[in-house]
C-alpha cells in the first residue's frame, strides 16, 4: 500500500513540476513563484528543503536533474523565455549551518523568444546535453563540450516543430542500435486537427535531427510525454498525456530492410488508451523499470497503469492527491490493492506464458 | 481569467462594440491616447500623428495632424494625451522639448494651438488635470516638471525634482492638488501643485529608472509604478509612508502600466525591450499574468483602455507600426495553459505528486466530470466567493511511499546483491540463483534458473554423442589446462609472436620493458607469492595484463572446441572473456613476454591443477538426461532472455547471460548484449549498488562495457617509504627500489584490497589491519602513529 506523506512545500503559487534525481534521494520542485526548491530525504524518510532560491523572473515550468556523474546539476525553464543550469556548491560553511546548500547559476540559455516550456538532459551516454522546447515551436539542443565547465553550452541543433511545444522526452535507450531520439508534444489548441506528437531522430550521416515519426492519431493538446526507461528492450514505449492517457510502442524496423542512412522506420502501435481521468491528463511518469505508468489529471488523482502478460494495460491503482482513498477504485476491474508487490505479481502472472513457451 | 462572453458593453447609453483588430500605421508609434467618447484614438510617434476612428470592424484614419510641407521637430512626439473633458483638446510632448497643444475645433487644417518651448530636453510625458480643463503638466528629461495653464502663454510653475530625468507625471485622481512623478534614479515624488518649492514626499520605488506610474482609477490612493528592474509595484499613498502593497515580477523592464477599469486588482503592462507582449496582471497573483496579448511583432509603446468603465477593450500602439484593439476574451491566458500538476516516479516506486490544491481538495463523494478543459475554471469560479481572494493558487505536495525500506524495488536490490554470477560451477550458480529468486517470491525467475540448470548441467548424454563428447572433452580439458598454463608455458613461443605483432606500434615501450626487466622480475616474484595466497582470484588479477597472448590464443585454440565441451568449466570461459577485454589505459606490460617468467611456473602449475580438477569433476556430471544437446535449447534460451528484457527485467537477462557465458553468447548479437549490460549497469548505479555494478562490468564480455571501469579514474599513489610519486606500473618504487604496498602486519605485498592510514601511510591487507586494530590503536608498522580508519 502506498502511504501519502504530505510535504509543506511552501511555494507561493502553483507547483508545476517535481523531479527525483538519479538515485531517488533528492527531489526538486519548481513553481510559478519563480523559485526552485531542492528536497533531501533524511534517514528517517522525511523530506527536508535544503535549498530554495529564485531562479527566473517568470513561472518556472520544469526542473530536471542531470546525471550525477556531471555533479549535482539542475536545469530549469521558465515563462521568462530562458532556461538555466544550476550547480550545487559544496563548502559554503555559513549555509551548511542552517542545513541549506548553495546553488549557483552556471548558464542562462536565452535563445528562445517565447516561453521555454520544457527542459531535459539527454541520456548520459550522449554526454552532457540538454534539450529545450519553447512555445514558438522550436526544440533546441545544447551541448556542454567540456563537462567540467557547466557555464559553456553551445547550441547544436534547432528543430522546428511548426507547433507550439509543451513537452519533450529523450529516448533513454543506451543501445548503439538506437540513434538519439527525442519526442516532442504540442499543446497547440487551435481547432485544426494536426498531429501533436512528433519524433525526431538523429541522423549520423547528415548530423542533423530529422523527423522520424508523427503520431497522426494524437490531435488534442498534449501536456506531457515520456519515453519509458528502455532497460534493454528492442522497442520503445511512449506515454502521452493529452485528453486521455495513451501508450504507444515503437518497434524499429530492422535497419537492413530500410534504405541505409535514412531515418529509422518504426512500427507504431497504440497499446493503451484510457480516459479514466475523465479530464485533461497533465502528467505521465514511468517507474524505473518502465513497467508501471503513473498519470495525473484534472480529477486530482494519480492512476497507475500496468501491462499484464498479454500486454493488456490495466489500471492497478488510484491515488488521491491528499491521500484519501478513492471510492471509484472499485470500479476499476483490475485494481490491485497491494501495489508494493506489483513487480513480483507480474512475474507470477508471467510465469504461465513463458513456461508454456519453453515447453513448446 | 475573466471570460468575457459579450463583445458589447453598455456604458451609459453608448454601447462599445468591436473585435480584435489591428491596422497598419505608416510609422512606429510612440504613444496613443483615447478620446473620451471611446470612439477615436490618437497615435503619435516620431513621424506620425494621426487620429483614427474605432469602428466595428476596423480602424479608419480620420485626421492627420502632421501638416505643413516641412516636418518640424515639434511634431516628433514622445507622448500624446487627449483631454478627458474636452474632446477637442490634445497635448503632445516633442522630443525637442516642446509641449504643443492641439485644438481639433480649429477650422484650418493646422490644428496646432499653443507651443510651450520651456523644457531644454525631450519631454517624456504630458498629462492633463482630470477635472480641470486648462491645467497641463509636463515632465522632461531635463529633470523639471512644468505646469501650464492653457489660458496663458507660459508655464505657471516649475517643479524641480532635484534629481535625474523625469519619466512620468500623473495627476492624482483622488486628490485635486496632488501629482506623482517618477525619476530615472528610481525615486517617486509626490507634489502639491500649489507648492513648487519642494515635494511633499519622496521614496525610492525601484532599482533603476521608474518608467511609469498610474493612479488607481477608483478612489483608493493606490499608485502603480513600473521600472527597469522588471517589477510593477503597487503603493498605498494614503498612509504616512508609502507602503508597498503588491509587487509583480514581469519578465522585462516595464514601460507602461495602466489599471484595468472595473477590475480592482488588474493592471496592464508592456515592456520597452525584448518582450513585445502586453500582460494583464492580477496584482494578488504576482507571478502569473492573468492575460496576455501577443499580437505585436515589435515593442509595444503605448497602451490604453478604450473606455474608463469598460474592462474588455484595450488599445495598443507599437514600434511595429501597428495599432491594435485587443479584446480581453481573445487574450491568451497563461494560467489556463499552465500545468497544475507535477508527477514523478521515484526510484523505489514512490511517487511525488504536486497538484493545485483545488484539484485535490478533500471531496470524497465528488462525482466524475464529463467536461474536459473547463474544469479548472469551473472550480475556480465555484471556490472564488468562498475564499477571501481566489487569485493566488497553491499546490499541495505529497510523496506516496511504498512500505518503508526499499519499497517496490526491494526485490531488485536483493536480487542484485544475492545473485552469484561466477566463480562456481554452473549448476551451483543456477541453484543458488533459483533459491534467491524463490526466497524473494519470484517464482517464475526461480523456475527459469532451475530449467537452465536442467538444460545445461544434467547428467546423462546421448549415447551416440557420447564418444565425440568425451573426445571433445579430453581435448577441451587439455586446452583448458593449456590455457591456464599458457601464461607461462607458451610464453617463449608466443611471446615472440606477440612482440612481432606489436613491434609496429609498441616497439619502443617493449624495449623500455626489457630494459627494466630487473624491476619486473622482482615485481613478478612478489606477485606470485602473493598470488598463491588467493588462488581463485589470482588468475583474474594476474592475467589482466596478458590479454594479448590470450587473445592470440583464444581464436586458435578455443574455436575447435565444441560448445558442449566448454560447458564443464563454468568459471573458465568467463575468465577468458575478461582476458579478452581490450587493454585498459594503464595496461601492464606483459610478463609472459619475458622468459624470466618461467621461473615462477611452479606456482602456476600448482594452481592450475586445482582448477582443472574442478573442471574435470564437473565434466563427469555434464551428461544429459535428455537426448537433446544444449544447442537445441539455445534458440529457446535466447528467446527467453529477449522475453525478460522486453518485460523490463534486464537483470534476469544479464544475469543469465553472465552465468551461461559462452553457451548463449553467440546466439545473441553483440549490440543487444551491450545494450542489456549498459541498461543493467545504469540501473545498478541508480540503486548505488556499486560493487554489483563493478562485478557486472568485470564479468561482461562486451568490449564497450568492460571498458567502463577502466576509464576516467586516475589514482595517484606515493611510495610509503620515500614519499615520492609512484610510477604508473608495478608495486615497486622506482627510487627506493622497495615494494611500496607491503602489509605492515604480514610483510607480504598486498595485491587486491589495500587499506592504509592516511596519516602515516602504513597499511596492509584489510583483514590483517582490522584484526590488528582490534588489539591496538597504534600503527602495526611501529611508527607510533595512532592510526585512524574510517
Amino acid at each position: 500500500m502506498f502511504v501519502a506523506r504530505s510535504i509543506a512545500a511552501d511555494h507561493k503559487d502553483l507547483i508545476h513540476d517535481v523531479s527525483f534525481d538519479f538515485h531517488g534521494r533528492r527531489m526538486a520542485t519548481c513553481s510559478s513563484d519563480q523559485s526552485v526548491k531542492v528536497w533531501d530525504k533524511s534517514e528517517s524518510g522525511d523530506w527536508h528543503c535544503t535549498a530554495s532560491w529564485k531562479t527566473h523572473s517568470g513561472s518556472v515550468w520544469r526542473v530536471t536533474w542531470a546525471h550525477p556523474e556531471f555533479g549535482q546539476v539542475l536545469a530549469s525553464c521558465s515563462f521568462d523565455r530562458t532556461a538555466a543550469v544550476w550547480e550545487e556548491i559544496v563548502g559554503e560553511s555559513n549555509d551548511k549551518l542552517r542545513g541549506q546548500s548553495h546553488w549557483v547559476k552556471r548558464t542562462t540559455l536565452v535563445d528562445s523568444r517565447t516561453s521555454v516550456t520544457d527542459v531535459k538532459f539527454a541520456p548520459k551516454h550522449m554526454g552532457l546535453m540538454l534539450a529545450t522546447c519553447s512555445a514558438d515551436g522550436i526544440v533546441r539542443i545544447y551541448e556542454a563540450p567540456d563537462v567540467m565547465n557547466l557555464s559553456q553550452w553551445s547550441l547544436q541543433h534547432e528543430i522546428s516543430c511548426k507547433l507550439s511545444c509543451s513537452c519533450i522526452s529523450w529516448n533513454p535507450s543506451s543501445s548503439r542500435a538506437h540513434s538519439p531520439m527525442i519526442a516532442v508534444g504540442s499543446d497547440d489548441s487551435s481547432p485544426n486537427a494536426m498531429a501533436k506528437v512528433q519524433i525526431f531522430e538523429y541522423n549520423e550521416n547528415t548530423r542533423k535531427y530529422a523527423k522520424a515519426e508523427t503520431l497522426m492519431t494524437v490531435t488534442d493538446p498534449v501536456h506531457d510525454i515520456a519515453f519509458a526507461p528502455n532497460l534493454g528492450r528492442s522497442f520503445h514505449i511512449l506515454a502521452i498525456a493529452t485528453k486521455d492517457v495513451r501508450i504507444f510502442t515503437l518497434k524499429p524496423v530492422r535497419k537492413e530492410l530500410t534504405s541505409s542512412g535514412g531515418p529509422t522506420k518504426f512500427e507504431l502501435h497504440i497499446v493503451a488508451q484510457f480516459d479514466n481521468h475523465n479530464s485533461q491528463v497533465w502528467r505521465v511518469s514511468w517507474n524505473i523499470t518502465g513497467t508501471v505508468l503513473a498519470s495525473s489529471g484534472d480529477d486530482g488523482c494519480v492512476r497507475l497503469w500496468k501491462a499484464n502478460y498479454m500486454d493488456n494495460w490495466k489500471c492497478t491503482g488510484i491515488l488521491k492527491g491528499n491521500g484519501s482513498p478513492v471510492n471509484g477504485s472499485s470500479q476499476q476491474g483490475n485494481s490491485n490493492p497491494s501495489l508494493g508487490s506489483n513487480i513480483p505479481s507480474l512475474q507470477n502472472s508471467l510465469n504461465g506464458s513463458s513456461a508454456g513457451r519453453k515447453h513448446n | 481569467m475573466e471570460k468575457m462572453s459579450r463583445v458589447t458593453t453598455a456604458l451609459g447609453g453608448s454601447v462599445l462594440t468591436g473585435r480584435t483588430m489591428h491596422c497598419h500605421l505608416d510609422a512606429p508609434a510612440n504613444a496613443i491616447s483615447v478620446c473620451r467618447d471611446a470612439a477615436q484614438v490618437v497615435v503619435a510617434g516620431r513621424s506620425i500623428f494621426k487620429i483614427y476612428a474605432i469602428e466595428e470592424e476596423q480602424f479608419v484614419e480620420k485626421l492627420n495632424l502632421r501638416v505643413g510641407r516641412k516636418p518640424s521637430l515639434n511634431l516628433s512626439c514622445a507622448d500624446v494625451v487627449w483631454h478627458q473633458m474636452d474632446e477637442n483638446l490634445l497635448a503632445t510632448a516633442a522630443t525637442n522639448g516642446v509641449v504643443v497643444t492641439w485644438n481639433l475645433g480649429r477650422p484650418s487644417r493646422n490644428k496646432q494651438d499653443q507651443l510651450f518651448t520651456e523644457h531644454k530636453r525631450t519631454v517624456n510625458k504630458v498629462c492633463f488635470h482630470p477635472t480641470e480643463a486648462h491645467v497641463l503638466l509636463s515632465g522632461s528629461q531635463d529633470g523639471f516638471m512644468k505646469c501650464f495653464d492653457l489660458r496663458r502663454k507660459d508655464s505657471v510653475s516649475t517643479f524641480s525634482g532635484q534629481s535625474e530625468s523625469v519619466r512620468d507625471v500623473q495627476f492624482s485622481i483622488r486628490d485635486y492638488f496632488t501629482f506623482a512623478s517618477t525619476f530615472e534614479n528610481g525615486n517617486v515624488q509626490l507634489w502639491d501643485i500649489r507648492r513648487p518649492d519642494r515635494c511633499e514626499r519622496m521614496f525610492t520605488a525601484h532599482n533603476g529608472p521608474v518608467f511609469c506610474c498610474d493612479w488607481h482609477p477608483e478612489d483608493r490612493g493606490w499608485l502603480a509604478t513600473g521600472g527597469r528592474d522588471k517589477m510593477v509595484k503597487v503603493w498605498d499613498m494614503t498612509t504616512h509612508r508609502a507602503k508597498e502593497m503588491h509587487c509583480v515580477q514581469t519578465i522585462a523592464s516595464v514601460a507602461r502600466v495602466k489599471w484595468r477599469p472595473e477590475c480592482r486588482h488588474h493592471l496592464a503592462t508592456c515592456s520597452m525591450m525584448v518582450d513585445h507582449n502586453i500582460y494583464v496582471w492580477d496584482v494578488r497573483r504576482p507571478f502569473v499574468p492573468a492575460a496576455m496579448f501577443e499580437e505585436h511583432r515589435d515593442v509595444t509603446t503605448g497602451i490604453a483602455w478604450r473606455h474608463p468603465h469598460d474592462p474588455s477593450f484595450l488599445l495598443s500602439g507599437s514600434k511595429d507600426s501597428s495599432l491594435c484593439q485587443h479584446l480581453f476574451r481573445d487574450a491568451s491566458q497563461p494560467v489556463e495553459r499552465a500545468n497544475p500538476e507535477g508527477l514523478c516516479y521515484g526510484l523505489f516506486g514512490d511517487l511525488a505528486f504536486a497538484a493545485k490544491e483545488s484539484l485535490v481538495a478533500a471531496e470524497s463523494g465528488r462525482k466524475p466530470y464529463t467536461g474536459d478543459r473547463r474544469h479548472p475554471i469551473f472550480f475556480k469560479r465555484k471556490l472564488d466567493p468562498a475564499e477571501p481572494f481566489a487569485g493566488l493558487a497553491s499546490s499541495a505536495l505529497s510523496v506516496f511511499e511504498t512500505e518503508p525500506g526499499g519499497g517496490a524495488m526491494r526485490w531488485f536490490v536483493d536480487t542484485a546483491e544475492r545473485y552469484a554470477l561466477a566463480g562456481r560451477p554452473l549448476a551451483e550458480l543456477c541453484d543458488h540463483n533459483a533459491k534467491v529468486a524463490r526466497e524473494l517470491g519470484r517464482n517464475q525467475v526461480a523456475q527459469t534458473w532451475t530449467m537452465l540448470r536442467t538444460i545445461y548441467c544434467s547428467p546423462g548424454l546421448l549415447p551416440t554423442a557420447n564418444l565425440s563428447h568425451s573426445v571433445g572433452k579430453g581435448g577441451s580439458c587439455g586446452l583448458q589446462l593449456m590455457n591456464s598454463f599458457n601464461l607461462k608455458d607458451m610464453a617463449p613461443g608466443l611471446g615472440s609472436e606477440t612482440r612481432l605483432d606489436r613491434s609496429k606500434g609498441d616497439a619502443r615501450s617493449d624495449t623500455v620493458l626489457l630494459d627494466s626487466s630487473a624491476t619486473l622480475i622482482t615485481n613478478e616474484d612478489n606477485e606470485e607469492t602473493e598470488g598463491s595466497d588467493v588462488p581463485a582470484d589470482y588468475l583474474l588479477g594476474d592475467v589482466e595484463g596478458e590479454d594479448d597472448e590470450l587473445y592470440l590464443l583464444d581464436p586458435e585454440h578455443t574455436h575447435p572446441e565444441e560448445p558442449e565441451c566448454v560447458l564443464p568449466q563454468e568459471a573458465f570461459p568467463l575468465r577468458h572473456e575478461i582476458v579478452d577485454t581490450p587493454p585498459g589505459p594503464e595496461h601492464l606490460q606483459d610478463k609472459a613476454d619475458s622468459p624470466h617468467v618461467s621461473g615462477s611456473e611452479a606456482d602456476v602449475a600448482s594452481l592450475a591443477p586445482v582448477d582443472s580438477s574442478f573442471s574435470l569433476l564437473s565434466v563427469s556430471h555434464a551428461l544429459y538426461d535428455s537426448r537433446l544437446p544444449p544447442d537445441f535449447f539455445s534458440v529457446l534460451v535466447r528467446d527467453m532472455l529477449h522475453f525478460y528484457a522486453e518485460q523490463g527485467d534486464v537483470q534476469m537477462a544479464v544475469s543469465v547471460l553472465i552465468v551461461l557465458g559462452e553457451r548463449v553468447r553467440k546466439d545473441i548479437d553483440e549490440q543487444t548484449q551491450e545494450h542489456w549490460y549498459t541498461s543493467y549497469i545504469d540501473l545498478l548505479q541508480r540503486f548505488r549498488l556499486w560493487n554489483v555494478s563493478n562485478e557486472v562490468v568485470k564479468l561482461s564480455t562486451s568490449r564497450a562495457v568492460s571498458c567502463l571501469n577502466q576509464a576516467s579514474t586516475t589514482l595517484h599513489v606515493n611510495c610509503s617509504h620515500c614519499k615520492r610519486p609512484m610510477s604508473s606500473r608495478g608495486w615497486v618504487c622506482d627510487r627506493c627500489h622497495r615494494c611500496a604496498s607491503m602489509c605492515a602486519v604480514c610483510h607480504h605485498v598486498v595485491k587486491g584490497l589495500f587499506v592504509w592510514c592516511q596519516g602515516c601511510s602504513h597499511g596492509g591487507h584489510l583483514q590483517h589491519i582490522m584484526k590488528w586494530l582490534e588489539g591496538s590503536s597504534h600503527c602495526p608498522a611501529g611508527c607510533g602513529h595512532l592510526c585512524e580508519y574510517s
Side-chain angles (χ1 to χ4, degrees), chain A residues 3 5 7 13 15-16 23 32 81 174 176 187 230 232-234 283 285-286 296-297 347 354, chain B residues 275 285 287 337 339 341 345 347 366 395 397 399 401 411 444 451 646 674-676 678-679 685-686:
Chain A
V3 184
R5 190 188 284 268
I7 298 168
D13 206 305
I15 297 173
H16 297 297
H23 297 298
S32 263
R81 305 165 175 203
S174 57
R176 275 185 289 129
D187 64 350
N230 179 275
R233 286 185 191 88
S234 58
R283 286 288 190 241
S285 178
W286 290 96
S296 73
Q347 303 297 347
S354 66
Chain B
D275 193 359
R285 189 174 184 179
F287 305 114
R337 292 175 74 121
N339 203 324
E341 289 174 345
Y345 231 122
L347 194 55
R366 202 152 54 88
S395 288
L397 173 67
V399 175
E401 289 171 354
W411 62 272
Q444 187 197 4
M451 289 165 81
E646 313 282 81
E674 185 188 318
H675 187 195
W676 290 350
T678 51
S679 303
Q685 288 178 348
R686 277 184 183 271

Side-chain angles (χ1 to χ4, degrees), chain B residues 610-628:
Chain B
V610 176
D611 284 344
S612 55
S613 67
F614 225 143
S615 44
L616 283 170
L617 198 72
S618 36
V619 164
S620 62
H621 284 289
L623 304 165
Y624 299 95
D625 57 350
S626 85
R627 299 191 159 248
L628 298 165

Side-chain angles (χ1 to χ4, degrees), chain B residues 496-568:
Chain B
S496 54
E497 270 181 56
T498 323
R499 218 171 282 140
L500 273 175
D501 266 15
R502 287 235 213 101
S503 54
K504 298 162 203 157
D506 271 12
R508 202 174 304 154
S509 70
D510 268 7
T511 24
V512 173
L513 163 76
L514 288 171
D515 288 344
S516 60
S517 56
T519 322
L520 268 176
I521 301 163
T522 36
N523 199 359
E524 216 63 50
D525 285 342
N526 283 332
E527 280 185 320
E528 302 304 342
T529 40
E530 177 57 34
S532 54
D533 286 349
V534 269
D537 283 337
Y538 174 65
L539 261 180
L540 267 178
D542 195 24
V543 291
E544 252 167 328
E546 278 100 349
D547 35 13
D548 281 20
E549 285 84 354
L550 283 177
Y551 193 43
L552 283 176
L553 245 192
D554 276 353
E556 278 181 61
H557 295 277
T558 53
H559 267 300
E561 291 176 4
E562 283 156 48
E564 59 268 37
C565 304
V566 194
L567 300 186

Side-chain angles (χ1 to χ4, degrees), chain B residues 241-350:
Chain B
R241 288 175 63 107
K243 191 170 131 207
E244 187 183 318
M245 303 294 287
H246 298 284
C247 177
V248 174
Q249 173 83 61
T250 74
I251 67 170
S253 57
V254 182
R256 308 269 182 203
V257 55
K258 285 275 184 280
W259 287 99
R260 185 177 177 205
E262 308 289 311
C263 292
R264 177 169 276 206
H265 290 104
H266 285 197
L267 47 79
T269 66
C270 66
S271 165
M272 60 172 54
M273 54 182 81
V274 184
D275 193 359
H276 310 156
N277 297 343
I278 303 163
Y279 300 99
V280 179
W281 305 85
D282 186 320
V283 293
R284 295 165 301 180
R285 189 174 184 179
F287 305 114
V288 187
M292 187 160 91
F293 299 102
E294 302 165 295
E295 278 84 358
H296 288 299
R297 294 285 147 256
D298 202 340
V299 170
T300 306
T301 47
I303 50 175
W305 293 95
R306 187 168 159 192
H307 190 279
H309 294 290
D310 185 311
S312 52
F313 292 88
L314 180 71
L315 298 165
S316 68
S318 160
K319 281 257 195 280
D320 67 2
S321 306
S322 73
L323 174 68
C324 266
Q325 172 170 276
H326 311 276
L327 250 65
F328 204 79
R329 61 146 195 208
D330 293 333
S332 73
Q333 302 186 329
V335 183
E336 290 295 299
R337 292 175 74 121
N339 203 324
E341 289 174 345
L343 179 69
C344 189
Y345 231 122
L347 194 55
F348 303 96
D350 37 359

Side-chain angles (χ1 to χ4, degrees), chain B residues 654-673:
Chain B
V654 172
S655 303
V656 173
L657 197 60
I658 291 175
V659 168
L660 292 184
E662 206 56 68
R663 296 171 190 84
V664 285
R665 197 175 303 137
K666 60 185 184 311
D667 296 320
I668 296 162
D669 73 283
E670 191 69 22
Q671 230 170 34
T672 309
Q673 288 187 38

